[in-house]
Short mmCIF file of all heavy atoms in Angstrom, two decimals:
data_model
loop_
_atom_site.label_atom_id
_atom_site.label_comp_id
_atom_site.label_asym_id
_atom_site.label_seq_id
_atom_site.Cartn_x
_atom_site.Cartn_y
_atom_site.Cartn_z
N ALA A 1398 66.91 296.76 43.91
CA ALA A 1398 66.78 296.93 42.46
C ALA A 1398 68.12 296.84 41.74
O ALA A 1398 68.17 296.50 40.57
CB ALA A 1398 66.11 298.27 42.15
N ARG A 1399 69.21 297.14 42.44
CA ARG A 1399 70.55 297.10 41.83
C ARG A 1399 71.20 295.73 41.88
O ARG A 1399 72.28 295.53 41.32
CB ARG A 1399 71.46 298.11 42.54
CG ARG A 1399 71.06 299.55 42.38
CD ARG A 1399 71.50 300.13 41.11
NE ARG A 1399 72.96 299.98 41.05
CZ ARG A 1399 73.69 300.31 40.03
NH1 ARG A 1399 73.11 300.82 38.98
NH2 ARG A 1399 74.98 300.14 40.02
N GLU A 1400 70.61 294.76 42.55
CA GLU A 1400 71.19 293.42 42.62
C GLU A 1400 71.24 292.81 41.22
O GLU A 1400 70.34 292.99 40.41
CB GLU A 1400 70.37 292.53 43.55
CG GLU A 1400 70.46 292.95 45.00
CD GLU A 1400 69.58 292.14 45.93
OE1 GLU A 1400 68.81 291.27 45.45
OE2 GLU A 1400 69.65 292.38 47.14
N ALA A 1401 72.31 292.08 40.97
CA ALA A 1401 72.52 291.49 39.64
C ALA A 1401 71.39 290.55 39.23
O ALA A 1401 71.00 290.50 38.07
CB ALA A 1401 73.85 290.75 39.61
N ALA A 1402 70.86 289.81 40.17
CA ALA A 1402 69.81 288.83 39.85
C ALA A 1402 68.41 289.38 40.14
O ALA A 1402 67.49 288.60 40.36
CB ALA A 1402 70.06 287.56 40.65
N PHE A 1403 68.24 290.70 40.10
CA PHE A 1403 66.94 291.29 40.42
C PHE A 1403 65.86 290.78 39.49
O PHE A 1403 66.00 290.78 38.27
CB PHE A 1403 66.99 292.82 40.33
CG PHE A 1403 65.65 293.46 40.52
CD1 PHE A 1403 65.13 293.61 41.80
CD2 PHE A 1403 64.89 293.89 39.45
CE1 PHE A 1403 63.88 294.19 42.00
CE2 PHE A 1403 63.65 294.47 39.63
CZ PHE A 1403 63.14 294.61 40.92
N ASP A 1404 64.78 290.31 40.09
CA ASP A 1404 63.58 289.89 39.37
C ASP A 1404 62.39 290.39 40.18
O ASP A 1404 62.25 290.01 41.35
CB ASP A 1404 63.54 288.37 39.22
CG ASP A 1404 62.34 287.90 38.42
OD1 ASP A 1404 61.21 288.26 38.79
OD2 ASP A 1404 62.53 287.16 37.45
N ALA A 1405 61.56 291.22 39.59
CA ALA A 1405 60.45 291.84 40.32
C ALA A 1405 59.51 290.81 40.92
O ALA A 1405 59.05 290.98 42.05
CB ALA A 1405 59.68 292.79 39.39
N THR A 1406 59.23 289.74 40.21
CA THR A 1406 58.32 288.71 40.73
C THR A 1406 58.89 288.05 41.97
O THR A 1406 58.20 287.87 42.97
CB THR A 1406 58.04 287.65 39.65
OG1 THR A 1406 57.52 288.30 38.49
CG2 THR A 1406 57.05 286.62 40.14
N VAL A 1407 60.16 287.70 41.93
CA VAL A 1407 60.81 287.06 43.08
C VAL A 1407 60.82 288.00 44.27
O VAL A 1407 60.51 287.60 45.40
CB VAL A 1407 62.24 286.61 42.71
CG1 VAL A 1407 63.00 286.13 43.93
CG2 VAL A 1407 62.21 285.54 41.64
N GLU A 1408 61.16 289.26 44.03
CA GLU A 1408 61.23 290.22 45.12
C GLU A 1408 59.85 290.52 45.70
O GLU A 1408 59.72 290.75 46.89
CB GLU A 1408 61.92 291.50 44.67
CG GLU A 1408 63.35 291.31 44.23
CD GLU A 1408 64.22 290.56 45.24
OE1 GLU A 1408 63.97 290.66 46.46
OE2 GLU A 1408 65.15 289.88 44.81
N PHE A 1409 58.81 290.47 44.87
CA PHE A 1409 57.45 290.63 45.37
C PHE A 1409 57.10 289.47 46.31
O PHE A 1409 56.55 289.69 47.39
CB PHE A 1409 56.46 290.68 44.20
CG PHE A 1409 55.02 290.79 44.62
CD1 PHE A 1409 54.50 291.99 45.07
CD2 PHE A 1409 54.18 289.69 44.57
CE1 PHE A 1409 53.18 292.10 45.45
CE2 PHE A 1409 52.86 289.78 44.95
CZ PHE A 1409 52.36 290.98 45.39
N MET A 1410 57.46 288.26 45.91
CA MET A 1410 57.17 287.09 46.74
C MET A 1410 57.99 287.11 48.03
O MET A 1410 57.54 286.60 49.06
CB MET A 1410 57.43 285.81 45.96
CG MET A 1410 56.57 285.68 44.72
SD MET A 1410 54.82 285.85 45.07
CE MET A 1410 54.40 284.18 45.39
N ARG A 1411 59.18 287.68 48.00
CA ARG A 1411 60.01 287.80 49.20
C ARG A 1411 59.56 288.94 50.11
O ARG A 1411 60.00 289.06 51.23
CB ARG A 1411 61.46 288.06 48.81
CG ARG A 1411 62.16 286.88 48.22
CD ARG A 1411 63.58 287.22 47.85
NE ARG A 1411 64.27 286.05 47.34
CZ ARG A 1411 65.41 286.09 46.68
NH1 ARG A 1411 66.01 287.27 46.44
NH2 ARG A 1411 65.97 284.99 46.25
N GLY A 1412 58.72 289.82 49.60
CA GLY A 1412 58.24 290.94 50.38
C GLY A 1412 59.15 292.16 50.33
O GLY A 1412 58.94 293.12 51.07
N ARG A 1413 60.15 292.14 49.46
CA ARG A 1413 61.06 293.28 49.35
C ARG A 1413 60.59 294.28 48.30
O ARG A 1413 61.07 295.40 48.25
CB ARG A 1413 62.48 292.81 49.02
CG ARG A 1413 63.02 291.90 50.12
CD ARG A 1413 64.50 291.66 50.08
NE ARG A 1413 65.05 291.29 48.80
CZ ARG A 1413 66.37 291.23 48.58
NH1 ARG A 1413 67.23 291.50 49.53
NH2 ARG A 1413 66.81 290.88 47.39
N LEU A 1414 59.67 293.90 47.46
CA LEU A 1414 59.03 294.79 46.49
C LEU A 1414 57.57 294.92 46.91
O LEU A 1414 56.91 293.91 47.13
CB LEU A 1414 59.13 294.21 45.08
CG LEU A 1414 58.50 295.03 43.96
CD1 LEU A 1414 59.31 294.85 42.68
CD2 LEU A 1414 57.07 294.62 43.71
N LYS A 1415 57.11 296.14 47.05
CA LYS A 1415 55.72 296.39 47.46
C LYS A 1415 54.94 296.90 46.26
O LYS A 1415 55.46 297.66 45.44
CB LYS A 1415 55.66 297.43 48.58
CG LYS A 1415 56.50 297.10 49.78
CD LYS A 1415 56.00 295.88 50.50
CE LYS A 1415 56.84 295.65 51.74
NZ LYS A 1415 56.59 294.39 52.36
N ALA A 1416 53.70 296.47 46.15
CA ALA A 1416 52.85 296.93 45.05
C ALA A 1416 51.45 297.21 45.59
O ALA A 1416 50.92 296.43 46.39
CB ALA A 1416 52.79 295.87 43.95
N ALA A 1417 50.88 298.32 45.15
CA ALA A 1417 49.52 298.70 45.53
C ALA A 1417 48.68 298.79 44.28
O ALA A 1417 49.13 299.33 43.26
CB ALA A 1417 49.54 300.03 46.26
N GLY A 1418 47.49 298.25 44.35
CA GLY A 1418 46.59 298.26 43.21
C GLY A 1418 45.81 296.96 43.15
O GLY A 1418 45.85 296.15 44.08
N HIS A 1419 45.12 296.75 42.07
CA HIS A 1419 44.33 295.54 41.88
C HIS A 1419 45.28 294.34 41.76
O HIS A 1419 46.19 294.34 40.93
CB HIS A 1419 43.47 295.67 40.62
CG HIS A 1419 42.53 294.53 40.42
ND1 HIS A 1419 42.91 293.37 39.80
CD2 HIS A 1419 41.24 294.38 40.79
CE1 HIS A 1419 41.88 292.54 39.78
NE2 HIS A 1419 40.85 293.14 40.38
N THR A 1420 45.06 293.32 42.57
CA THR A 1420 45.96 292.18 42.64
C THR A 1420 46.12 291.48 41.29
O THR A 1420 47.24 291.12 40.91
CB THR A 1420 45.46 291.16 43.70
OG1 THR A 1420 45.31 291.85 44.94
CG2 THR A 1420 46.44 290.03 43.87
N GLY A 1421 45.06 291.30 40.56
CA GLY A 1421 45.14 290.65 39.26
C GLY A 1421 46.01 291.43 38.29
O GLY A 1421 46.82 290.85 37.55
#
């Protein structure tokens, strides 16, 4: 989260951001 180029969408696709809930 502290990386200068942090983007939640990119990190989700890389598997470094985890999300639980309805996919849509």
Side-chain angles (χ1 to χ4, degrees):
R1399 295 279 303 175
E1400 292 176 356
F1403 175 79
D1404 182 306
T1406 304
V1407 172
E1408 298 309 330
F1409 178 77
M1410 299 306 270
R1411 288 180 177 165
R1413 299 195 311 170
L1414 179 146
K1415 306 294 183 190
H1419 186 275
T1420 305

